[in-house]
Amino acid sequence: MNKTNIIITGEDYDYGFNELKAMDVNIFHYPMIYTLGVDINIHPNMYNYIIFTSKNGVKYFLKNVSTSINSNIKFICIGKKTAEVLKRNNLNPDIVVRRNYSKFMCNEIKNMGISKNKKLLLIQGNLAKKELFECLSESLDVDHKIVYTTNPVEEKIDDLNKKIENENSYVVFTSPSTFNSFINKYNLKKNIISIGNTTTDHIRDKGFEPLMTAKMQSYEGISNSIIEYLNKKINHELS
């Protein structure tokens, strides 16, 4: 019987998948996208609050700041991973929004009671939807800066073609851009795993149906969902 393969398509990942490896599952990393910084000057001390929606936002923001950052600036970010990147760069995340969806983030920020005379800066990549900026702009003074671009990997890898032909291979998509890049190069029919609702909706719009959507929008959530699925599959085969 072929071993189970999990194929990760994001640019990078920082989760060990140790529980899956203990189940004799192979983890392969075939990035379908890469990011590049946008060369712009950012004057952070013009702002009272700076909002990050991804780890890459923090990374490329720090490469573009034109001066040291005042200690009284407050940072708002999505998720613990983004918060960890801030901490590693000696910046304190004042508010960490748990749900990585624009409407939830917008509502949480609006409910913070930020004065209308405060100035906010939203940091994002070029593929980010406009909903968050538009929602915040309804009641707050917000600037929007694009600090990086997301680009598809062009090279096609023969070895990956062989792996996805294996019926025990599962392909993990962490964004619509990873899915687009993948299906432009490879023949994918089933065993699709999505990190969250936004990615799942996009996959369905393209005419595909995910096998599963992670209950928690993270690599840990993906791992837990795969483990649950594989255990049910093993129990079914043994019964």
Side-chain angles (χ1 to χ4, degrees):
M1 180 177 175
N2 290 327
K3 287 180 66 173
T4 299
N5 298 323
I6 304 298
I7 297 163
I8 308 297
T9 60
E11 182 178 24
D12 53 31
Y13 67 97
D14 53 4
Y15 187 75
F17 293 99
N18 293 328
E19 291 181 75
L20 280 169
K21 290 175 182 176
M23 296 172 68
D24 207 23
V25 172
N26 292 321
I27 307 295
F28 296 101
H29 185 210
Y30 291 92
M32 290 293 117
I33 57 170
Y34 65 95
T35 54
L36 291 173
V38 176
D39 188 16
I40 58 173
N41 285 324
I42 298 175
H43 305 284
N45 299 327
M46 294 172 52
Y47 303 96
N48 304 103
Y49 294 85
I50 299 179
I51 305 167
F52 298 103
T53 60
S54 69
K55 296 182 296 182
N56 280 328
V58 178
K59 172 183 173 181
Y60 291 110
F61 163 81
L62 292 172
K63 290 184 177 182
N64 283 293
V65 292
S66 58
T67 183
S68 59
I69 301 172
N70 286 343
S71 60
N72 60 345
I73 295 175
K74 294 186 181 298
F75 297 100
I76 303 169
C77 64
I78 275 181
K80 63 181 182 180
K81 295 296 184 182
T82 306
E84 286 169 4
V85 177
L86 279 168
K87 290 175 183 176
R88 287 200 297 269
N89 287 279
N90 299 315
L91 299 173
N92 181 50
D94 294 273
I95 298 100
V96 181
V97 179
R98 298 298 175 186
R99 300 190 67 180
N100 189 12
Y101 296 103
S102 295
K103 63 179 180 180
F104 296 112
M105 190 172 198
C106 181
N107 289 336
E108 285 201 37
I109 294 171
K110 283 183 172 181
N111 290 333
M112 287 168 50
I114 297 174
S115 171
K116 291 187 177 182
N117 65 358
K118 301 296 184 183
K119 194 162 184 64
L120 291 76
L121 173 62
L122 174 61
I123 297 292
Q124 291 184 306
N126 67 312
L127 297 184
K129 293 183 179 180
K130 296 180 180 178
E131 281 93 334
L132 180 56
F133 174 67
E134 292 172 348
C135 180
L136 292 172
S137 297
E138 292 172 0
S139 56
L140 296 166
D141 183 6
V142 186
D143 283 348
H144 188 207
K145 300 286 187 185
I146 300 298
V147 298
Y148 68 95
T149 62
T150 299
N151 311 278
V153 169
E154 300 296 343
E155 180 185 4
K156 188 172 181 178
I157 303 168
D158 291 336
D159 183 47
L160 178 52
N161 259 329
K162 295 175 183 176
K163 285 187 174 63
I164 61 177
E165 289 172 1
N166 174 3
E167 65 178 11
N168 290 321
S169 287
Y170 300 83
V171 187
V172 173
F173 297 103
T174 55
S175 66
S177 56
T178 59
F179 186 77
N180 289 344
S181 178
F182 192 98
I183 63 171
N184 284 338
K185 292 182 282 292
Y186 303 99
N187 183 25
L188 180 67
K189 295 180 180 178
K190 60 179 183 177
N191 292 351
I192 298 168
I193 299 173
S194 166
I195 197 170
N197 294 336
T198 299
T199 302
T200 292
D201 289 344
H202 180 80
I203 291 169
R204 286 175 175 155
D205 286 345
K206 293 292 184 178
F208 297 80
E209 183 59 36
L211 175 68
M212 70 184 81
T213 301
K215 295 176 182 177
M216 182 170 59
Q217 194 167 342
S218 65
Y219 280 117
E220 181 183 0
I222 287 169
S223 179
N224 292 340
S225 295
I226 295 172
I227 290 167
E228 182 181 351
Y229 171 79
L230 292 178
N231 284 333
K232 287 180 180 177
K233 184 179 179 183
I234 290 169
N235 290 336
H236 176 73
E237 289 171 352
L238 292 176
S239 62

